[in-house]
Amino acid sequence: MADDSPADDVRFGLWYDLRNPAQWRRPFERFYAEVLDQIQWAETQGIGSVWLTEHHFCDDGYTPSPLVVAAAIAARTKDLRISTNLMLPALHDPVRLAEDAATLGILSDGRFDLGMAVGYRELEFEAFGRNIKHRPSLLEETVEVVRRAWSGRSIAFGGKRFDYPDLTVHPQPARAPGVFIGGMSPPAIDRAARLGDGFLSTQNAHHEMYLEGLDRAGRPRSEGAIYAGQWAIVSEDPEAEWARIGQHALYQLNEYIGWGAFGPPETTPKFPDAQSIIDAGGYILWDVETAIREISDLLVGQPLIRDVHFWAQLPGESVESGSARIETLTSKVFPAVRERVAAAKAPAA
C-alpha cells in the first residue's frame, strides 16, 4: 500500500540508529529513555515521522531490534508515522517479519511502514546463516511473502530461498504497512521502483534514477513516492556546530566504511578528520536560510517526495544536543519551507 498522505503534505522527520559508542557511553537504559522522551516531545513540535535502522553485533549497540523500538514509540505518540529506514530482510524469516509488522500496524492504528534493503555487511549474513550473494532474491521473496501475509491470502510459496505451506497469517491490520525499499546502486534503485511502494533515498542524488526506474518497470510516475534521508547539519552557525560535533560524524562514517558500506573496506580509505567529511560532501552544513532554500527547492522540484528526515543526533552526541537542532528545524526551518512551497505551488493570480 502506498503512502496515503496527500502529495502536498510533506512530513518532516527524524532518523535514529541508537548508537552509544564506548568513548561517549551512557547507560543504555537512560539513553533509550531519553530518546523516547525526545520523540514524544518532537511530535508536539511538528515532527511528523521517525525512521529506525538496523544492524547487528555492533560494539556501540546500533539498533538490532527496530521493531521493538517502534512499538515503544507507537505507545508514546499519537499521529507520528513510524518506519524503518532501513531493515535487513535477509536476516529475518519473512513470515515472522510480516507478523511483527502487522502487529505494529495494529498497535499504531496504521502508522507503521516497513522500509528495507538488501544489506551489505558480510559478518551479519554469516552470523545468520545466509549467503550474501543471495541478498537480492532474499529481499524480493520477502516482499512477496509479507504482502501475501498482510492481504489475508495464503502464504503458500515456493521460491529460491523460502518455502511455505498453504497457511494464512492472522491478524491482518486494517491498513497494511507500506513497503519502502532503499538503495544507491542502479540495480537496487530499479528494484525499489519495480517492487516498492516508495523509495528510501540518501542525499537526494538518485531521484531521477528512481523515476527512470518507474518508467522501465512500466509504472506511472504518479505511483512513485520518495522518502528523502538527509545527511545535513542545520544550525544558526553550522561551522561552529560542526566544530563541536564533527568527531561524532567522523566515528559514524568511518564505522560504515569499515563495514563495507561504500565499497571494499580494504580499498576504501577512512576519513582522517571531520573537515575531510565536509570537503567530500559526506555531510552538508546549512545555516537556517540555506536550509529553507535548499529544502524548498528540493520539494518544488520533486513532487514525489513525501518525507524529508534528518539524523536526530550523531553517535555519542547527547540527546540534548540533538534536540537543540531539532528545535531549530521545527521552529525556524520547516514552517518557512511549508510557506515557500505553498507559495510556489499556488496558481498565478
Side-chain angles (χ1 to χ4, degrees):
M1 177 181 291
D3 191 325
D4 53 10
S5 64
D8 59 351
D9 186 20
V10 175
R11 283 187 293 270
F12 298 105
L14 302 174
W15 210 347
Y16 287 90
D17 56 18
L18 295 173
R19 302 173 82 172
N20 189 11
Q23 59 265 50
W24 300 292
R25 180 152 297 166
R26 70 217 92 166
F28 274 96
E29 290 77 7
R30 177 162 62 86
F31 177 41
Y32 273 46
E34 289 175 354
V35 166
L36 289 173
D37 286 345
Q38 181 189 59
I39 292 169
Q40 187 174 19
W41 162 79
E43 183 182 31
T44 70
Q45 304 305 299
I47 290 295
S49 64
V50 162
W51 301 83
L52 305 169
T53 189
E54 175 190 14
H55 275 297
H56 297 267
F57 314 111
C58 304
D59 292 342
D60 58 20
Y62 196 124
T63 330
S65 301
L67 300 185
V68 176
V69 177
I73 294 170
R76 297 278 296 268
T77 56
K78 296 179 180 180
D79 300 309
L80 192 79
R81 293 210 66 85
I82 307 161
S83 183
T84 51
N85 184 6
L86 39 77
M87 283 191 75
L88 307 173
L91 311 182
H92 298 267
D93 178 271
V95 173
R96 290 294 295 119
L97 181 59
E99 289 173 331
D100 286 346
T103 301
L104 266 169
I106 293 167
L107 289 171
S108 65
D109 195 20
R111 292 186 285 133
F112 179 73
D113 296 302
L114 183 64
M116 59 180 93
V118 293
Y120 60 85
R121 195 169 173 231
E122 290 195 30
L123 179 152
E124 293 170 329
F125 283 79
E126 292 171 356
F128 285 96
R130 297 288 171 82
N131 187 334
I132 196 168
K133 294 179 181 179
H134 296 163
R135 53 190 182 159
S137 56
L138 286 165
L139 185 145
E140 296 206 15
E141 292 188 11
T142 295
V143 170
E144 175 65 23
V145 171
V146 298
R147 282 194 168 131
R148 290 188 188 194
W150 296 335
S151 72
R153 292 183 291 145
S154 168
I155 61 168
F157 183 80
K160 291 181 178 179
R161 311 300 165 209
F162 302 107
D163 192 359
Y164 293 106
D166 182 12
L167 295 171
T168 305
V169 171
H170 301 281
Q172 289 98 37
R175 176 197 178 274
V179 174
F180 306 150
I181 298 176
M184 292 185 284
S185 69
I189 295 168
D190 270 355
R191 190 178 301 113
R194 178 168 49 88
L195 297 177
D197 297 317
F199 171 47
L200 300 171
S201 74
T202 298
Q203 287 291 56
N204 311 318
H206 303 104
H207 295 171
E208 188 60 33
M209 190 180 298
Y210 170 65
L211 298 180
E212 293 168 356
L214 290 170
D215 295 340
R216 285 189 291 272
R219 300 179 66 185
R221 292 188 175 192
S222 59
E223 286 187 2
I226 297 171
Y227 301 84
Q230 306 298 304
W231 292 66
I233 298 297
V234 180
S235 173
E236 295 279 10
D237 186 343
E239 286 76 18
E241 185 80 353
W242 189 252
R244 188 176 64 82
I245 67 171
Q247 290 301 308
H248 299 278
L250 185 67
Y251 170 88
Q252 180 189 41
L253 287 175
N254 281 343
E255 285 289 294
Y256 279 131
I257 290 170
W259 296 346
F262 307 112
E266 61 273 12
T267 59
T268 305
K270 292 187 176 181
F271 290 104
D273 52 47
Q275 183 57 43
S276 64
I277 295 173
I278 301 301
D279 294 342
Y283 267 96
I284 301 169
L285 302 182
W286 288 339
D287 60 25
V288 168
E289 287 305 315
T290 301
I292 293 169
R293 182 182 68 251
E294 292 287 341
I295 300 170
S296 299
D297 289 350
L298 177 68
L299 296 178
V300 171
Q302 183 43 264
L304 289 187
I305 293 175
R306 301 288 184 265
D307 187 287
V308 176
H309 47 281
F310 297 78
W311 288 108
Q313 48 262 329
L314 304 180
E317 182 186 5
S318 72
V319 172
E320 293 82 4
S321 176
S323 291
R325 286 198 303 281
I326 293 169
E327 188 169 15
T328 296
L329 288 169
T330 57
S331 65
K332 298 180 179 179
V333 176
F334 297 156
V337 168
R338 291 193 185 280
E339 289 183 7
R340 188 171 296 191
V341 172
K345 293 182 177 180

